[in-house]
Amino acid sequence: MWSLGGDAGVSDDYEFVNKFTKHDYELHFLIPKGEPGSQPDIENFHTHTYPNFFKAISNLPTFLRRLLLPFLFNSVVIPRALLLARALKPDFVLGHSHYSTAATFMLRKLRSLPTGVKLFGVMDLVHTQWPRWKYLYKNAEQMLALKFPQDLWIVLDDGTKGREALLRHGVSNEKIHFLPNGINLEWADHACNREKIRKEMRIPRDACVVLFLSRFVPSKRPEAVIRSIPRVLELAEREAIFLFVGGGPLKASSVALAARSKVAEHTRFMGPVPHSRVPDVFCASDIFISTSNLTNMAIPTFEAFVCGVPVVAFDVGDTKKAVKENETGCTVPDGDIEALARAITDLANNEEKRAALGLNAKKYAMENFTSWDERTDKELEIIDSWVRASRATS
């Protein structure tokens, strides 16, 4: 839970737990049994488990998994949650992701508890340009989930236009709390030895380093970056090294694709790195690449801003709100590999432009982004108000 299976960054939940336990909340998390990663030693924090059916169906075709997941989640989690609620008598119940909406609705109805759901973006609900049939097929579970009434919805602004999506699907505006992602703004002052870090990573001192930092999953499209490399090597006036940081189910196939494309010697696949080392990774890099098919306003993009690394991204979702053309970075048409390669090359060949965009990006970050402390303060205020109201009427 804390490292999302050991190959992702610090969980949003970790910051949430730290904030709420420091303000005398006792937190109980209901999570799948046997999830990797250790539970942090935090006072007033407890975990409870339910059978991990996710692993049992992980090898099934996507269509079957989509059919089974809502059924399994509700049939397994709802009874467990009802029993926990009867024993714990919580002041508030917060579900995470759209899968939890039926469970929180049942707790609201059968236990008369105030409930809310926290969405970390709205995924394919952003794709309103799709044909109607495709939109319905891709979003059926989320659209159904939004039909279960809640007292509040906390939606994080990851660039997938969450507020608009919820309003479009019938959630009333007064119940939506649209919050920014939290960012480690202190990284703007991170001191590092770039030459030493590059040496540890086996990166030539004078190479232009292009960074992809993400989970290796289909929505992040790591293969798009790899397919751009041959063209970049053809056009670039200096050596280019592509640094891939992260893990996930597509990592092995990405390494294989780099080998088949004969660009392996120009790539470094580091795997996951501790969150505390991420600023060093940015320090060693010259350009950051984001190729998601949902949004490229995710936390790693914003971390690149804070560290003064210019961004090249596919133009999806609300990406252009932050990645401003030739100001904080560059956007290219979604899925256009040639345009991606040319944008990377343009920055690789122009040190002065890279430096200017990096400075602008850092300035934009410090003026517009929200620290984790500020973000979790907003969540605390939202839930505090419901807890106080609930206690006043009970």
Side-chain angles (χ1 to χ4, degrees):
M1 174 174 157
W2 304 110
S3 60
L4 301 180
D7 52 13
V10 168
S11 171
D12 184 283
D13 294 333
Y14 186 78
E15 302 290 345
F16 177 94
V17 168
N18 270 329
K19 175 68 69 174
F20 277 70
T21 53
K22 286 177 181 177
H23 285 78
D24 299 323
Y25 272 81
E26 183 174 314
L27 300 182
H28 294 261
F29 271 56
L30 182 57
I31 63 174
K33 187 175 183 180
E35 281 296 289
S38 59
Q39 176 177 321
D41 184 18
I42 299 177
E43 190 176 357
N44 292 329
F45 172 78
H46 313 274
T47 58
H48 311 268
T49 61
Y50 57 86
N52 195 338
F53 51 81
F54 296 100
K55 291 182 178 179
I57 66 173
S58 61
N59 292 322
L60 294 178
T62 301
F63 180 74
L64 285 178
R65 287 204 311 274
R66 287 184 62 192
L67 286 176
L68 286 171
L69 267 176
F71 169 76
L72 289 171
F73 190 93
N74 291 329
S75 61
V76 171
V77 174
I78 289 176
R80 182 77 173 107
L82 288 169
L83 288 173
L84 269 178
R86 184 169 66 182
L88 298 172
K89 298 179 174 58
D91 293 295
F92 193 87
V93 177
L94 183 66
H96 284 190
S97 91
H98 67 276
Y99 286 113
S100 68
T101 61
T104 51
F105 170 74
M106 294 301 291
L107 288 166
R108 185 175 185 252
K109 184 176 181 180
L110 299 180
R111 293 283 185 256
S112 299
L113 294 169
T115 64
V117 171
K118 182 176 179 178
L119 301 177
F120 300 82
V122 295
M123 299 185 289
D124 284 327
L125 288 177
V126 70
H127 289 306
T128 54
Q129 79 282 5
W130 281 350
R132 183 65 176 167
W133 67 266
K134 183 177 181 180
Y135 187 85
L136 291 173
Y137 173 73
K138 290 284 191 178
N139 292 302
E141 299 98 313
Q142 280 203 90
M143 292 169 67
L144 179 61
L146 294 175
K147 300 300 180 185
F148 290 97
Q150 310 292 331
D151 292 307
L152 64 87
W153 299 79
I154 294 175
V155 187
L156 301 187
D157 182 11
D158 69 339
T160 53
K161 304 182 181 181
R163 180 189 287 279
E164 296 173 31
L166 265 64
L167 291 172
R168 196 165 57 246
H169 290 284
V171 178
S172 60
N173 186 55
E174 63 269 16
K175 291 192 174 184
I176 301 171
H177 299 270
F178 195 51
L179 303 183
N181 270 318
I183 302 295
N184 292 90
L185 295 180
E186 67 276 11
W187 288 0
D189 299 318
H190 177 72
C192 67
N193 186 327
R194 179 180 168 97
E195 186 174 342
K196 179 182 178 183
I197 294 167
R198 285 196 167 200
K199 186 175 181 180
E200 291 172 353
M201 294 179 178
R202 300 181 296 110
I203 295 172
R205 178 179 178 180
D206 296 324
C208 179
V209 175
V210 183
L211 172 64
F212 175 88
L213 188 155
S214 176
R215 288 266 290 158
F216 281 69
V217 293
S219 65
K220 303 299 185 181
R221 296 187 286 190
E223 76 284 351
V225 180
I226 296 169
R227 293 187 191 282
S228 75
I229 297 176
R231 187 66 168 144
V232 172
L233 297 179
E234 180 184 338
L235 297 173
E237 298 170 359
R238 57 188 292 202
E239 182 178 8
I241 296 294
F242 285 73
L243 183 60
F244 293 86
V245 177
L250 296 185
K251 184 185 174 186
S253 62
S254 297
V255 173
L257 178 60
R260 291 198 305 274
S261 303
K262 299 181 179 180
V263 296
E265 65 182 290
H266 297 279
T267 62
R268 305 285 187 274
F269 288 87
M270 289 184 60
V273 300
H275 195 247
S276 60
R277 286 296 312 278
V278 172
D280 286 343
V281 173
F282 280 114
C283 178
S285 304
D286 298 291
I287 303 167
F288 179 78
I289 306 299
S290 190
T291 51
S292 170
N293 63 12
L294 300 173
T295 171
N296 289 303
M297 278 179 61
I299 289 175
T301 300
F302 286 180
E303 290 173 341
F305 274 44
V306 171
C307 294
V309 179
V311 172
V312 176
F314 281 148
D315 181 16
V316 290
D318 271 345
T319 299
K320 278 188 174 178
K321 281 188 175 180
V323 186
K324 300 179 184 296
E325 193 66 26
N326 291 321
E327 184 178 335
T328 60
C330 305
T331 57
V332 299
D334 185 30
D336 190 332
I337 303 300
E338 174 67 18
L340 179 66
R342 287 188 175 276
I344 294 170
T345 305
D346 178 56
L347 290 183
N349 291 343
N350 193 332
E351 184 175 356
E352 186 176 328
K353 183 175 181 179
R354 285 201 316 275
L357 293 184
L359 285 174
N360 289 342
K362 180 178 284 193
K363 182 174 183 290
Y364 182 91
M366 302 313 291
E367 291 175 353
N368 294 278
F369 294 169
T370 303
S371 70
W372 280 112
D373 194 44
E374 292 174 306
R375 213 299 296 288
T376 51
D377 273 344
K378 295 177 189 292
E379 288 179 279
L380 181 66
E381 181 181 349
I382 291 165
I383 293 176
D384 252 347
S385 65
W386 272 98
V387 170
R388 289 194 300 269
S390 177
R391 287 176 175 174
T393 57
S394 62

